[in-house]
Amino acid sequence: MSRASPRASAKDAIEESAEPDRQFVTALARGLDILRCFSAERRMLGTTELAHLTGLAQPTVWRLCHTLQKTGFLTAVPGKDKLQLGIAAIALGGAALAGQEALDVIRPLLQSLADRYQVAVALGRRDGDSIVYLLRCQGNSPLLMNLRVGSRIPLFHSAIGWAYLACCSPEERAVLLEQAREAGKVGDAAEQQAMAEAIARYAERGFVYHERPAYQINTVAAAIELPADERYVVSCGGPAALLPQALMLDEVGPTLRQLAGELQPILLMGRHV
């Protein structure tokens, strides 16, 4: 499975502005880039891996990791030359999750759809070139992929990412695609064509449809737009044998589109999510 990388996000943040931001603390941003490398799929990382993921020089990574260890945000993995998130980072995650009543209301709605079709249903938000899962529910199918809350899904290689791109303005989407091309994070010509077609049909369908033949997985996804360009995305996917294209386009996709509409007022009431 292709995974998105947080590479050079501090650099990207600086370059987004035409003028230097005197309030921007580059060292802090680089430290946060280090922490962003860790995920549900990458729980333990070595400094060489961190240097590769962030694009930072190895000595810089060593210094940042030393500081993060001293402050409790990283800790050494016993018996391995690797690091993992420390208590301070875990406490921050707990604080972020605390009080997210909207997610508690949304979870049974996602689970109901997951049980109906024996699929996986997820809610996410964009972080860099990934969509990060905030919620994930699944039915009883043994063939579903092992993803979870905190998993990062590549923006340009997934239904949930395509749905996000589909609800962007043409100008914003063009910028994101150009950045992805420069970083070598777009797919081959066939995948780019499929993405373009899915995005073009989003206004008509209200969802995107995405196939992964190598994994025999079919997925639909829809965006949830809130004021001030805030966006969530929701996806529904599973084995192609259970979710053939006709079912996805005629039934599951419209059902997911309806669910996205139902989630919007819930998320509006819980904007702190």
Side-chain angles (χ1 to χ4, degrees), residues 185-247:
K185 294 178 181 176
V186 294
D188 57 23
E191 185 176 20
Q192 291 185 55
Q193 179 63 28
M195 179 176 67
E197 291 177 358
I199 290 173
R201 301 199 66 175
Y202 185 82
E204 168 197 349
R205 291 174 170 168
F207 60 89
V208 298
Y209 173 67
H210 179 269
E211 293 182 346
R212 300 186 68 194
Y215 293 91
Q216 293 295 301
I217 297 290
N218 291 341
T219 310
V220 289
I224 305 166
E225 297 187 72
L226 303 182
D229 292 328
E230 187 176 0
R231 305 182 188 100
Y232 290 80
V233 272
V234 60
S235 68
C236 174
L242 295 177
L243 301 171
Q245 182 184 62
L247 179 66

Side-chain angles (χ1 to χ4, degrees), residues 29-43:
R30 288 174 173 171
L32 295 174
D33 284 349
I34 294 289
L35 295 177
R36 190 177 286 115
C37 291
F38 293 87
S39 67
E41 289 76 39
R42 293 192 297 243
R43 300 183 184 183

Side-chain angles (χ1 to χ4, degrees), residues 3-143:
R3 292 191 176 96
S5 164
R7 178 185 294 273
S9 55
K11 178 182 177 183
D12 292 344
I14 297 171
E15 292 177 349
E16 283 180 3
S17 175
E19 299 180 0
D21 185 350
R22 297 181 183 276
Q23 302 301 314
F24 189 88
V25 183
T26 302
L28 174 59
R30 288 174 173 171
L32 295 174
D33 284 349
I34 294 289
L35 295 177
R36 190 177 286 115
C37 291
F38 293 87
S39 67
E41 289 76 39
R42 293 192 297 243
R43 300 183 184 183
M44 298 181 292
L45 292 169
T47 54
T48 300
E49 294 170 290
L50 290 167
H52 173 72
L53 289 168
T54 59
L56 297 172
Q58 188 77 59
T60 300
V61 171
W62 288 334
R63 293 194 299 272
L64 290 170
C65 289
H66 176 76
T67 302
L68 290 168
Q69 284 183 268
K70 287 291 186 180
T71 52
F73 286 91
L74 290 179
T75 184
V77 179
K80 297 184 178 180
D81 190 21
K82 290 182 180 292
L83 298 167
Q84 62 187 359
L85 292 177
I87 295 298
I90 295 170
L92 276 182
L97 291 173
Q100 292 188 4
E101 293 86 356
L103 296 185
D104 293 333
V105 175
I106 289 170
R107 184 177 289 105
L109 300 177
L110 301 191
Q111 188 63 58
S112 177
L113 182 59
D115 291 340
R116 178 177 175 181
Y117 293 106
Q118 296 303 304
V119 295
V121 183
L123 177 76
R125 291 185 71 174
R126 177 189 162 216
D127 179 39
D129 56 13
S130 307
I131 298 295
V132 178
Y133 280 169
L134 303 176
L135 281 176
R136 186 178 184 275
C137 301
Q138 69 176 53
N140 293 324
S141 172
L143 302 177

